[in-house]
Amino acid sequence: MQDRSRDPSGPVLGIETSCDETAAAILDADGRILAEAVLSQLAEHASFGGVVPEIAARAHLAHLPEMVGSVLREAGLRWSDLAAVAASAGPGLIGGLIVGSGFAKGAALARGLPFVAVNHLEAHALTARLPGLLGDAAPASVAFPYLLLLISGGHCQCVAVEGVGRYHRLGGTVDDAVGEAFDKAAKLLGLPWPGGPALERLAAAGDPARYPLPRPMLGRAGCDFSFSGLKTALAQRVAAFPPGALPRDEAADLAASFQAAVVAVLADRLSHALAAFAARHPALPAGRRLAVAAGGVAANGAIRAALADVAQAAGFTLAVPPVRLCTDNAVMVAWAGIERLRLGLADPLETAPRPRWPLETLSGAGGPGGSPPEAA
Ligand code: KG4
Ligand code: ZN
């Protein structure tokens, strides 16, 4: 039952628990961040070399209620001040999704608030529209359509973002996500999990031209990705050394060579995606051509630089939200909730979390600033 007297333009609570980050945030109706908190479960999973779903779900359950209380306090708000609760309801690890969306539904029911079941990928996709987020790097307000390159540990895809709930997938990985490839490569090189940042640091000391590793899909039509062959090639190079005896300088050269291969592949795939996006939206004025990179891998300096060059060459501006909003967080979930609520798109409390939930299956609208694709 919903409290009709409540101010529908009040603040929105967002909750994120789809993987190994427990996060809560409160945004006002204009998207101003009133409070945010993220707890990464690195310590819980590190000894296993990856995320253990059951441990993740238990950790969300242990930390989420207290975290929501603390963001409410930080924002100086009570439950009765909120206008809605939004939570990631998929895709992701089902245990965590049940914890976060279940908590949100319970709160919505108890407080008579609307509930928004947020698609985690849509949350990543809409983050760039947070007012003022991209500063001088992008138009003051990011209008639809734009190209999203989502590169994280769980996702790797190119998407034309055409409105709230309106996504056209241009391509994606046929095997590993790019962050997953970084993590597996780092493990082969004896680096700790999560491997991406450690591999980037090691690569800085190595020679990227030393090992000619494969560049899967390079030059191939379309915008798909593949990383498993690159990982196998790296494994074979590592296997040439006696077990446990990979010298540090060799490891650095392998890391640099691996990263160079990933950079080349991502740059090539982005250039194809930009061409596909431009063909889909031929009437988009030059100054409005925007590409957004998101996900933990967008934190990689060499990758950011290469993507910016490719975008510029194609007449696009590349915008990358700050790293804390590129990686999993609840600000993006609350913002996606706000975007949906503005269109009257709240969800029934019966909505079940979904471990798989492709963006293309969402419903929505063009929204304010939205525009239909010029070509189908
Ligand atoms: O977006 P994210 O926090 O979580 C999801 O996977 O959804 O991304 C984490 C991924 C991990 O695979 C991590 O190794 C990778 O992003 N990553 C990096 C860097 N920082 C994080 N990969 C390459 N270079 C980095 N600097
Ligand atoms: Zn994510």
Side-chain angles (χ1 to χ4, degrees):
M1 198 181 39
Q2 231 167 274
D3 178 356
R4 301 274 166 215
S5 64
R6 197 178 296 277
D7 176 6
S9 63
V12 172
L13 168 67
I15 289 172
E16 163 56 37
T17 55
S18 69
C19 190
D20 59 337
E21 265 91 24
T22 311
I26 301 177
L27 271 58
D28 73 14
D30 296 325
R32 207 156 50 90
I33 300 168
L34 303 181
E36 61 180 308
V38 182
L39 194 69
S40 290
Q41 302 172 0
L42 292 183
E44 279 91 337
H45 303 288
S47 63
F48 299 96
V51 178
V52 184
E54 181 63 21
I55 294 176
R58 284 169 191 270
H60 291 309
L61 195 56
H63 299 297
L64 184 63
E66 196 184 310
M67 181 180 278
V68 169
S70 86
V71 290
L72 277 165
R73 276 194 301 281
E74 188 189 330
L77 298 173
R78 292 158 304 161
W79 279 103
S80 56
D81 298 317
L82 295 178
V85 186
S88 281
L93 301 174
I94 190 64
L97 294 171
I98 289 172
V99 170
S101 66
F103 182 95
K105 285 191 255 185
L109 181 66
R111 308 284 170 173
L113 296 169
F115 164 69
V116 187
V118 170
N119 178 295
H120 177 88
L121 301 175
E122 171 160 76
H124 277 300
L126 298 178
T127 306
R129 285 169 49 81
L130 258 171
L133 185 73
L134 299 179
D136 298 338
S141 102
V142 174
F144 300 120
Y146 52 89
L147 179 90
L148 172 74
L149 176 67
L150 183 52
I151 42 175
S152 74
H155 326 291
C156 185
Q157 51 186 281
C158 301
V159 181
V161 181
E162 295 173 343
V164 174
R166 290 186 39 210
Y167 304 94
H168 179 78
R169 191 176 191 272
L170 296 167
T173 185
V174 297
D175 41 55
D176 294 347
V178 60
E180 193 181 348
F182 265 100
D183 292 337
K184 288 176 176 171
K187 198 169 184 174
L188 287 168
L189 298 174
L191 300 171
W193 179 85
L199 193 148
E200 183 181 13
R201 278 194 298 278
L202 183 59
D207 174 5
R210 172 83 189 285
Y211 292 101
L213 295 174
R215 275 117 169 96
M217 299 278 194
L218 196 89
R220 178 97 54 103
C223 321
D224 283 340
F225 305 79
S226 167
F227 293 102
S228 72
L230 173 58
K231 177 201 63 193
T232 305
L234 180 73
Q236 284 166 350
R237 295 281 181 178
V238 172
F241 295 89
L246 181 63
R248 179 83 183 167
D249 57 341
E250 293 286 350
D253 286 348
L254 282 166
S257 301
F258 173 86
Q259 185 172 277
V262 174
V263 165
V265 166
L266 289 180
D268 177 72
R269 304 289 76 200
L270 177 64
S271 75
H272 282 242
L274 293 174
F277 178 86
R280 197 172 157 80
H281 295 283
L284 203 60
R288 287 247 349 258
R289 295 184 170 210
L290 181 69
V292 174
V297 180
N300 183 292
I303 290 173
R304 285 168 91 114
L307 298 181
D309 286 349
V310 167
Q312 195 184 16
F316 280 72
T317 303
L318 178 81
V320 188
V323 171
R324 77 176 211 290
L325 298 180
C326 274
T327 55
D328 287 351
N329 66 88
V331 170
M332 69 180 190
V333 178
W335 173 247
I338 290 167
E339 293 248 42
R340 295 206 138 244
L341 288 162
R342 284 178 180 172
L343 299 169
L345 298 171
D347 295 287
L349 292 179
E350 296 75 41
T351 308
R354 300 169 64 174
R356 290 182 202 284
W357 190 6
L359 267 179
E360 313 81 86
T361 63
L362 290 183
S363 58
S371 59
E374 285 83 1

Short mmCIF file of all heavy atoms in Angstrom, two decimals, residues 25 40 62 68 79 92 108 148 180-181 184 235 242 245 301 329:
data_model
loop_
_atom_site.label_atom_id
_atom_site.label_comp_id
_atom_site.label_asym_id
_atom_site.label_seq_id
_atom_site.Cartn_x
_atom_site.Cartn_y
_atom_site.Cartn_z
N ALA A 25 22.90 4.30 -1.19
CA ALA A 25 23.07 5.74 -1.45
C ALA A 25 21.71 6.41 -1.45
O ALA A 25 20.69 5.76 -1.71
CB ALA A 25 23.75 5.95 -2.80
N SER A 40 33.45 -3.04 -0.13
CA SER A 40 33.91 -4.11 -1.02
C SER A 40 34.30 -5.30 -0.18
O SER A 40 34.94 -5.16 0.86
CB SER A 40 35.12 -3.63 -1.82
OG SER A 40 34.69 -2.67 -2.74
N ALA A 62 24.81 -9.31 6.32
CA ALA A 62 25.43 -8.83 7.57
C ALA A 62 25.59 -7.30 7.57
O ALA A 62 25.50 -6.68 8.63
CB ALA A 62 26.79 -9.50 7.76
N VAL A 68 22.37 1.01 5.46
CA VAL A 68 21.21 1.86 5.10
C VAL A 68 20.94 2.85 6.24
O VAL A 68 20.70 4.05 5.99
CB VAL A 68 19.97 1.00 4.79
CG1 VAL A 68 18.72 1.85 4.70
CG2 VAL A 68 20.18 0.22 3.49
N TRP A 79 13.15 7.61 7.40
CA TRP A 79 12.46 6.81 6.38
C TRP A 79 11.28 7.59 5.79
O TRP A 79 11.03 7.52 4.59
CB TRP A 79 11.95 5.51 7.00
CG TRP A 79 12.99 4.45 7.10
CD1 TRP A 79 13.66 4.08 8.22
CD2 TRP A 79 13.49 3.62 6.04
NE1 TRP A 79 14.55 3.08 7.93
CE2 TRP A 79 14.46 2.76 6.60
CE3 TRP A 79 13.21 3.51 4.68
CZ2 TRP A 79 15.15 1.81 5.86
CZ3 TRP A 79 13.89 2.56 3.94
CH2 TRP A 79 14.86 1.74 4.52
N GLY A 92 22.90 -10.72 -11.93
CA GLY A 92 23.94 -10.84 -10.90
C GLY A 92 23.81 -12.15 -10.15
O GLY A 92 23.08 -13.06 -10.58
N ALA A 108 9.91 -0.90 1.45
CA ALA A 108 8.84 -0.25 0.68
C ALA A 108 7.47 -0.62 1.24
O ALA A 108 6.59 0.24 1.39
CB ALA A 108 8.96 -0.64 -0.80
N LEU A 148 27.48 3.29 -25.06
CA LEU A 148 28.07 2.83 -23.81
C LEU A 148 28.99 1.64 -24.07
O LEU A 148 28.59 0.68 -24.72
CB LEU A 148 26.97 2.38 -22.84
CG LEU A 148 27.48 1.71 -21.56
CD1 LEU A 148 28.09 2.74 -20.61
CD2 LEU A 148 26.36 0.95 -20.85
N GLU A 180 37.44 -10.10 -16.15
CA GLU A 180 37.68 -11.51 -15.83
C GLU A 180 39.01 -11.95 -16.47
O GLU A 180 39.80 -12.67 -15.85
CB GLU A 180 36.51 -12.30 -16.42
CG GLU A 180 36.35 -13.70 -15.99
CD GLU A 180 35.13 -14.33 -16.72
OE1 GLU A 180 34.32 -13.61 -17.37
OE2 GLU A 180 35.00 -15.56 -16.65
N ALA A 181 39.24 -11.51 -17.71
CA ALA A 181 40.50 -11.85 -18.39
C ALA A 181 41.68 -11.25 -17.64
O ALA A 181 42.71 -11.92 -17.44
CB ALA A 181 40.46 -11.34 -19.83
N LYS A 184 42.20 -13.39 -14.51
CA LYS A 184 42.80 -14.70 -14.79
C LYS A 184 44.27 -14.53 -15.18
O LYS A 184 45.13 -15.32 -14.77
CB LYS A 184 42.03 -15.40 -15.90
CG LYS A 184 40.66 -15.90 -15.44
CD LYS A 184 39.88 -16.51 -16.59
CE LYS A 184 38.55 -17.09 -16.11
NZ LYS A 184 37.69 -17.50 -17.25
N ALA A 235 48.90 -18.22 -20.76
CA ALA A 235 49.16 -19.41 -19.93
C ALA A 235 50.29 -20.23 -20.54
O ALA A 235 51.16 -20.75 -19.81
CB ALA A 235 47.89 -20.24 -19.80
N PRO A 242 59.81 -22.80 -15.37
CA PRO A 242 59.56 -23.82 -14.35
C PRO A 242 58.49 -23.31 -13.38
O PRO A 242 58.45 -22.10 -13.10
CB PRO A 242 60.92 -23.96 -13.64
CG PRO A 242 61.92 -23.32 -14.54
CD PRO A 242 61.20 -22.32 -15.38
N ALA A 245 58.68 -20.23 -10.87
CA ALA A 245 60.00 -19.59 -11.06
C ALA A 245 59.96 -18.54 -12.18
O ALA A 245 60.93 -18.39 -12.94
CB ALA A 245 61.05 -20.65 -11.36
N GLY A 301 44.55 3.13 -16.95
CA GLY A 301 45.03 4.33 -17.64
C GLY A 301 45.31 4.11 -19.11
O GLY A 301 44.93 4.93 -19.96
N ASN A 329 28.23 0.44 -7.47
CA ASN A 329 27.90 1.42 -6.43
C ASN A 329 26.38 1.57 -6.38
O ASN A 329 25.67 1.09 -7.28
CB ASN A 329 28.57 2.76 -6.77
CG ASN A 329 28.01 3.37 -8.03
OD1 ASN A 329 27.03 4.11 -7.99
ND2 ASN A 329 28.59 3.05 -9.19
#
